[in-house]
Amino acid sequence: MDHSPEKRRRRRCLILSVLAVLLLIIIVAVVLGLTLRKNTDSLKTTFISRCKAFKEYDCPKIWDAFEQSYVGRDPCKVPMEAYDPFIAAAPFQPACNRMMFWSKTTDVVHDFTEKKDCFLTLEDTLLGSVMDGLTWCGKEGSPETFTTGCPGWTDCVNNTVRSFWNRASAAFADAACGQVTAMLNGSIVTPFNPTSIFATIELERLDSPRVKNLNVVLVTQETTVTNCTNASLKNLQKELDPGVKYNCKEVSEAQIQECSSNPEKPCGACW
Ligand code: N1C
């Protein structure tokens, strides 16, 4: 055997390099693991803290049902039915005559429901509030939840987030009863957009005799381009259950804001 100092130095060098690479791999794995865990933890923390605002629900149990819907799945292959057990774990309390649907009017509608306790949107319920504004997905063969790098609307139809909103919106519409209101946007050419969740999921579930009336509030501005005679609203009426009475009213955004800031005005007096 050759024990020359040069050979020994080289061997020591090699061993040290291998150890350094191993150490690096371990550090990367630990950091990655912690980041992934942090993702699951931060989504869970947000979920549980929003859920706790609704006192009548068992939040950890609802979180478990939620997680089961997408964890370990290809994030492009989560059908809306995957959320069935989650929806069953957090049933809606029906709120006849107070339910508010919307499409492309998220700011005006939520500003209104926040200030005035007249109507209930999906976001005012547990199912809609826990995930509002969030992104999440799983990965095949992984027990983790990811909050970045998830497929978006244009990447695939059955993506984790879209299927959630489809399923929650379907449950919300299934619970609708009596007078139902929908705030649509009068500043766009197609206030009733055939690809929207309101058109594809909710409208077909507004069945008579459970639902009596659909009152469309078409929110107008100075730049308004449509009114209640709009062609897309004609399509809406065609698709609506004939037993449900339809009504449409053009209401300016200024009037809605003025009404919601006036605590004296009763619910029925805003339009
Ligand atoms: O596609 P949209 O509107 O017609 O969906 C709105 C419709 C409402 O009546 C709600 O009941 O569907 C329900 N809904 C939500 O409550 C909701 N909160 C947040 C649907 N989508 C919701 N989001 C997000 O906004 C979600 O990311 C979804 O894709 C958009 C839809 O908004 P939109 O096109 O204005």
Side-chain angles (χ1 to χ4, degrees):
M1 247 182 23
D2 182 358
H3 287 294
S4 73
E6 177 58 16
K7 279 265 167 78
R8 244 183 286 147
R9 202 182 61 79
R10 259 197 238 150
R11 197 175 308 142
R12 215 177 302 138
C13 224
L14 188 74
I15 293 170
L16 280 178
S17 312
V18 169
L19 281 178
V21 168
L22 276 178
L23 194 69
L24 203 70
I25 290 173
I26 292 169
I27 290 173
V28 167
V30 166
V31 167
L32 214 67
L34 282 180
T35 318
L36 296 178
R37 184 112 307 276
K38 220 175 86 221
N39 270 339
T40 308
D41 285 354
S42 73
L43 193 78
K44 185 173 178 178
T45 308
T46 309
F47 185 106
I48 301 274
S49 79
R50 287 181 181 181
C51 175
K52 281 195 172 146
F54 300 83
K55 301 203 168 51
E56 62 274 29
Y57 294 97
D58 179 350
C59 296
K61 198 174 135 207
I62 296 177
W63 164 262
D64 286 343
F66 171 71
E67 219 185 7
Q68 299 287 315
S69 319
Y70 63 89
V71 159
R73 284 181 181 240
D74 178 334
C76 270
K77 290 185 187 152
V78 179
M80 61 188 271
E81 294 75 27
Y83 288 100
D84 284 355
F86 166 60
I87 301 286
F92 287 116
Q93 330 281 348
C96 293
N97 308 321
R98 283 167 38 92
M99 283 171 71
M100 170 72 86
F101 295 85
W102 53 270
S103 194
K104 308 287 181 283
T105 50
T106 181
D107 290 343
V108 47
V109 80
H110 292 118
D111 177 65
F112 182 75
T113 56
E114 230 168 69
K115 291 187 185 146
K116 245 192 161 26
D117 192 22
C118 299
F119 295 99
L120 197 74
T121 62
L122 177 53
E123 293 72 23
D124 301 312
T125 70
L126 182 137
L127 283 182
S129 88
V130 279
M131 298 325 285
D132 200 17
L134 304 181
T135 301
W136 67 97
C137 63
K139 200 179 188 175
E140 237 175 336
S142 161
E144 301 294 345
T145 292
F146 301 85
T147 51
T148 53
C150 295
W153 264 207
T154 47
D155 297 317
C156 48
V157 182
N158 278 336
N159 71 70
T160 323
V161 177
R162 169 129 208 140
S163 291
F164 168 83
W165 285 113
N166 281 349
R167 187 63 191 87
S169 303
F172 189 60
D174 282 335
C177 44
Q179 301 274 335
V180 167
T181 311
M183 258 194 200
L184 304 182
N185 190 338
S187 303
I188 53 178
V189 185
T190 319
F192 179 67
N193 184 329
T195 64
S196 67
I197 296 182
F198 177 63
T200 56
I201 302 281
E202 295 176 328
L203 191 74
E204 65 185 44
R205 289 174 165 82
L206 302 181
D207 287 333
S208 159
R210 189 170 37 90
V211 174
K212 303 257 172 299
N213 296 63
L214 172 64
N215 303 313
V216 169
V217 172
L218 190 66
V219 184
T220 62
Q221 287 174 329
E222 275 108 68
T223 54
T224 280
V225 294
T226 48
N227 57 32
C228 283
T229 65
N230 177 272
S232 77
L233 295 176
K234 296 255 149 61
N235 294 336
L236 184 160
Q237 291 172 70
K238 265 185 240 153
E239 286 176 33
L240 185 64
D241 180 332
V244 177
K245 285 202 196 77
Y246 169 85
N247 167 54
C248 174
K249 199 161 180 186
E250 293 143 26
V251 185
S252 75
E253 190 170 340
Q255 186 184 329
I256 295 172
Q257 279 163 353
E258 197 268 327
C259 186
S260 58
S261 349
N262 185 348
E264 307 287 293
K265 283 234 167 139
C267 288
C270 285
W271 45 77

